[in-house]
Amino acid sequence: MHNSQQSYDNANYYNLVTSALRADGTRTSYSSVGTNVWVAAPAGEYGQDYPAMVTTDLMGCEQGQNTSSDLGINGLHGGTEFDPNCNYTSTMNGTSSAAPNTSGAIAAIMSTNHALTARDVRALLAETASITDAEDPGVSLDFENSEGQLVSYQAISPWQKNAAGVDFHAFYGFGAVNLDEAMKRARMTNNVLPPQVITPWMNNAAKVAVPDASLAGGESSISISDELTVESVQIKLTLDHTRLPDLAIELISPSGTRSVLQTPRNGLVGQSLEPNVAGYENQLMLSNQFYGESAKGEWTLRAIDTNGDEVFSYLAYFNSSTIFEVPMANNTQPGVLKNWSMRIFGH
């Protein structure tokens, strides 16, 4: 399952990361996951087994996505009683659909109250979002640890309330955009949040071993003395490890909320395929899961190796007919958490 933290831009606090929803409110097959997701919005699947979005097409049945030859893909295409002139398509999907849906919601909120800042609108989206796919169980990984015992690791948690009572899920962020509630709130206030405070980067350079195939992991802490309410937390991580897909990276708040910043089995490849990739070098990661909590106290970063066996990586080039299975030997040495730093965006 691809983790959206792997794109450096997605760990930028100033980007609003949106995940994609099916028509039934569950995560689409292609949507990335991560604690940097803010909200979720409609996007749809491919218009075959599951619905996609309906949008305008090039006019006429001889051009565009919806043509007279495009029969049987779904109930709208091919010139039907619903659209005899083939002027619409019902196969638009992707984050290219979720992003403009979210952007349109933001535009509507800002047009309702021009006094609101971009940061205020972000807060309104978060604080009015609706839980979707409420029964999703998250993702648990079973593996054999270094002592030969079968253990389980909760890589993605179900919906959880943090210490501030805010609901969050790595599939959906704070939930599905609820435009009606957000606009209602927008009409009632010009200032959703107090002025922002961004702490300087705080660093811990103590080297910590990350044992192979062990839930114990390696951990390191940073203490925050500021009396702040958290909006987002950003970290930078330098860590040596020759098989990155084994690793889970967690951040635990002073209140005890656990946020899995980087999930294992995430599509990354290890040193056996890319000789110059042997871990993270000042890798930026972001979590919104601590929204509303107090920043004061000890924050703990944990790196956990969740696999001691040989694994196979599957590489696909352009289509499913060209998939290659590549063996990836286990790391011969424990990983080393070399350096990490963090900063708080809050008020």
Side-chain angles (χ1 to χ4, degrees):
M1 191 174 294
H2 183 265
N3 192 297
S4 55
Q5 303 269 17
Q6 290 169 25
S7 173
Y8 205 79
D9 287 346
N10 287 340
N12 181 346
Y13 164 80
Y14 299 100
N15 287 346
L16 194 155
V17 179
T18 303
S19 66
L21 295 176
R22 287 176 170 178
D24 62 1
T26 61
R27 184 181 69 91
T28 60
S29 60
Y30 52 79
S31 187
S32 299
V33 305
T35 57
N36 55 338
V37 173
W38 193 261
V39 288
E45 284 286 351
Y46 295 93
Q48 297 174 349
D49 296 333
Y50 294 93
M53 304 296 289
V54 176
T55 186
T56 53
D57 192 31
L58 293 176
M59 297 179 66
C61 290
E62 302 308 316
Q63 54 188 347
Q65 297 294 313
N66 182 358
T67 66
S68 56
S69 62
D70 191 10
L71 300 174
I73 192 169
N74 57 38
L76 182 62
H77 278 212
T80 69
E81 60 177 315
F82 303 107
D83 180 23
N85 298 317
C86 309
N87 291 338
Y88 299 89
T89 177
S90 57
T91 57
M92 184 200 177
N93 67 355
T95 48
S96 298
S97 176
N101 274 322
T102 304
S103 300
I106 290 170
I109 295 166
M110 298 191 84
S111 68
T112 299
N113 186 341
H114 295 174
L116 296 173
T117 66
R119 180 167 155 259
D120 288 328
V121 174
R122 283 168 59 99
L124 284 175
L125 288 174
E127 294 173 13
T128 59
S130 302
I131 289 179
T132 185
D133 192 15
E135 303 304 316
D136 181 84
V139 178
S140 292
L141 296 176
D142 295 331
F143 68 96
E144 191 174 284
N145 68 13
S146 56
E147 298 178 354
Q149 301 165 327
L150 187 65
V151 296
S152 182
Y153 178 72
Q154 188 77 41
I156 296 176
S157 297
W159 278 99
Q160 285 190 324
K161 288 186 184 295
N162 67 15
V166 176
D167 294 299
F168 192 89
H169 194 300
F171 284 2
Y172 309 112
F174 300 108
V177 172
N178 188 330
L179 182 57
D180 288 343
E181 286 300 314
M183 291 182 69
K184 187 185 302 181
R185 281 276 308 276
R187 296 187 190 102
M188 298 171 61
T189 180
N190 289 341
N191 299 102
V192 180
L193 295 174
Q196 188 174 59
V197 175
I198 304 174
T199 68
W201 286 100
M202 288 148 285
N203 180 263
N204 186 329
K207 291 180 173 58
V208 177
V210 181
D212 189 41
S214 171
L215 289 176
E219 64 179 47
S220 174
S221 297
I222 290 175
S223 186
I224 303 292
S225 59
D226 301 270
E227 296 277 2
L228 289 177
T229 299
V230 176
E231 295 168 32
S232 297
V233 179
Q234 204 173 39
I235 76 155
K236 285 191 289 191
L237 173 64
T238 297
L239 181 149
D240 286 347
H241 198 284
T242 55
R243 201 167 72 175
L244 287 180
D246 291 358
L247 287 183
I249 307 297
E250 302 179 347
L251 185 63
I252 303 167
S253 73
S255 301
T257 299
R258 183 185 73 108
S259 183
V260 182
L261 306 179
Q262 187 59 260
T263 47
R265 319 295 196 274
N266 49 31
L268 288 170
V269 293
Q271 192 178 26
S272 60
L273 295 182
E274 295 186 42
N276 295 324
V277 177
Y280 294 118
E281 182 70 32
N282 285 323
Q283 179 70 35
L284 195 65
M285 300 181 192
L286 179 77
S287 179
N288 301 315
Q289 193 166 356
F290 308 108
Y291 189 89
E293 289 192 4
S294 171
K296 187 174 183 179
E298 189 170 86
W299 292 79
T300 301
L301 186 83
R302 299 182 71 219
I304 300 169
D305 187 313
T306 66
N307 197 353
D309 298 324
E310 182 180 57
V311 297
F312 291 88
S313 180
Y314 296 91
L315 303 181
Y317 291 91
F318 304 114
N319 61 66
S320 59
S321 66
T322 51
I323 296 178
F324 300 90
E325 185 179 86
V326 182
M328 295 174 62
N330 189 38
N331 48 291
T332 57
Q333 298 293 327
V336 179
L337 199 170
K338 297 172 67 176
N339 193 331
W340 74 286
S341 54
M342 66 176 291
R343 64 175 176 174
I344 307 287
F345 294 81
H347 57 265

